[in-house]
Amino acid sequence: MIAVPLIGGMTACKEKQKSEDIIVAKYVPDAPKAPVKLPKDVRATNIEWMGNSFTVQISREPADSSQMLKDETGQEYVDNFVTLNILRSDNSSFLKKVFTKETFAAHVDADFCKNGIFENLVFHGIENQQLKFGAVISWPGNEDEFIPLDVMIDKKGGMVIMQGKLFDELEDNDSLKN
């Protein structure tokens, strides 16, 4: 009977063994999201050009059949195509052209052409008797990294594409004039 309390006392003083296991929450990645696509966008602008009335119609649509683009996280994006239709006052077509980012391949580097998204084409007005449009190709999911392009249409329907100016460059040039 005396031995039982001694054994019990010895086990009570025994130090508990500490575990060196570190418990970490298991990483569960976010479930893949549906591909991001810009909504269809249709705009029409009535203008006076070369002494005549015209309507500039611009229609952006997702290019669902094109290759999916991905950002650095793997999120997929759908590229776009834009149809430009310049109509005379009698609704006959002066110019109809479908733009994809490949239209601008000679004006952007190969990586941007392959992996960028064609955001849109926007009418900017008349400059030197030509219709001026702005186009933008950007990185998927990052509208801050983009290439601006200018598209000029002459009175015969000829088209010239050139590198556009960034907003910072425009502001810098304006401050030099003042």
Side-chain angles (χ1 to χ4, degrees), residues 64-161:
D64 292 319
S65 62
S66 68
Q67 174 184 342
M68 288 289 174
L69 305 166
K70 292 183 182 181
D71 66 10
E72 65 277 352
T73 68
Q75 173 63 52
E76 291 185 319
Y77 290 79
V78 177
D79 204 358
N80 302 294
F81 68 92
V82 174
T83 303
L84 170 64
N85 196 4
I86 302 171
L87 300 168
R88 296 180 184 94
S89 59
D90 65 358
N91 274 343
S92 64
S93 184
F94 169 76
L95 175 86
K96 186 171 185 175
K97 171 108 177 105
V98 176
F99 291 85
T100 65
K101 67 182 173 195
E102 288 76 17
T103 306
F104 307 100
H107 306 280
V108 298
D109 66 41
D111 191 32
F112 242 95
C113 192
K114 180 180 179 188
N115 299 308
I117 287 182
F118 179 31
E119 294 277 342
N120 212 345
L121 183 75
V122 178
F123 178 62
H124 284 299
I126 300 170
E127 187 176 290
N128 298 323
Q129 298 182 350
Q130 297 179 345
L131 300 180
K132 183 177 182 180
F133 299 86
V136 173
I137 298 175
S138 69
W139 285 117
N142 187 352
E143 293 80 25
D144 292 338
E145 289 187 53
F146 63 92
I147 296 176
L149 299 152
D150 289 337
V151 178
M152 306 297 287
I153 307 288
D154 67 25
K155 62 184 178 181
K156 293 183 180 181
M159 182 173 65
V160 174
I161 299 172

Side-chain angles (χ1 to χ4, degrees), residues 22 35 38 42 47 52 54 69-70 74 106 110 124 126 161 163 175:
I22 298 174
L38 293 173
V42 179
I47 63 168
N52 295 302
F54 291 86
L69 305 166
K70 292 183 182 181
H124 284 299
I126 300 170
I161 299 172
Q163 188 73 39
S175 67

Side-chain angles (χ1 to χ4, degrees), residues 3-4 6 11 30 49 75-76 78 109 162 165:
V4 173
L6 283 176
T11 58
D30 292 338
W49 181 45
Q75 173 63 52
E76 291 185 319
V78 177
D109 66 41
M162 62 192 100
K165 293 200 184 322

